[in-house]
Amino acid sequence: MADLTLSDTLCTTAPGLDIGIHTDPLVSESLAPVDPLAKGVFFWYKEDSLDATQAPLRPIAEVVERCADSVTIRLYYLPEDTPRGRNVRHGKDEVLASWRSPKLPVDDAMQLIASEQGNGAVQVVTYRAYCRMKANQKRFHFVGDVGAQQPRPMTYFVRDDYRDMQLEARDATIGPAGASTSLQ
C-alpha cells in the first residue's frame, strides 16, 4: 500500500485502544491486538506553543516510522493553531499536514498516548475519503446500533499542508526527541 497518510482507506479505532489506525475496511477489526505505535496509528499530541502566553498546541500525530528506540511522527494542525488562522476556505473538520516529522523515544511516545487516552480516538483521511464517508453516513443514517459497536473516532480530513519555520527550527535545537512532550 502506498503512503498511508494519503490513501483512501478509512481509518478505524483500534480494539481496546483510544487511537485511530488505517485498516482495510473489508477486514475485521478484531483480528489481532494492535501495536499503539504501528505505522499509520493516529493519536492526540501535545506540545508547547512558541508564545509562552498561549495554550499548548494540540496537533494530531501519525506514526510514520518506528525503529527499536524511536518513533517518527507526522503532525496535523487545526487551521486555528497556525499563524494564518482559520478562514472561510477551511472545512469544519479540516486539518493541515505539517512538514515537520519529529522523532520521539518509544517510551515518551507510549507515555504520551497513555496520557491522551481520555481525549477520544482520532483519525485523518483524505478529503475524498471524508466526503465518501459523510455521504455514506447520511445515506445509511437509518441503520441503528447493531450489537455493541465501538464509538466512532473523530474524523478530520487533510487537503493542504502547512510549514512553520519557527517550529522546525525549535525541533532542530531540541534535538532528536523533537518537540517538548510535557505531560501535565
Side-chain angles (χ1 to χ4, degrees), residues 9-84:
T9 59
L10 295 177
C11 301
T12 58
T13 303
L17 297 172
D18 207 8
I19 56 178
I21 183 168
H22 284 281
T23 61
D24 183 335
L26 301 176
V27 177
S28 170
E29 294 180 17
S30 61
L31 290 179
V34 177
D35 177 3
L37 292 178
K39 185 175 181 177
V41 169
F42 292 96
F43 59 93
W44 288 105
Y45 186 72
K46 181 179 177 181
E47 67 181 349
D48 297 329
S49 174
L50 288 173
D51 183 357
T53 62
Q54 293 180 343
L57 299 175
R58 302 273 309 145
I60 299 166
E62 176 190 15
V63 176
V64 293
E65 180 181 19
R66 180 178 178 177
C67 300
D69 59 346
S70 66
V71 176
T72 303
I73 59 174
R74 181 168 191 189
L75 300 174
Y76 298 88
Y77 289 91
L78 294 170
E80 55 268 20
D81 289 340
T82 65
R84 288 187 183 167

Side-chain angles (χ1 to χ4, degrees), residues 24 27 50 73 94 96 102 106 108 110 113 124 138 141 148 164-165 170-171 178 182:
D24 183 335
V27 177
L50 288 173
I73 59 174
E94 183 169 5
L96 304 173
V106 169
D108 289 355
M110 291 296 287
I113 289 172
V124 177
K138 187 174 182 179
H141 73 282
D164 188 325
M165 300 306 273
R170 180 176 72 179
D171 289 345
S182 62

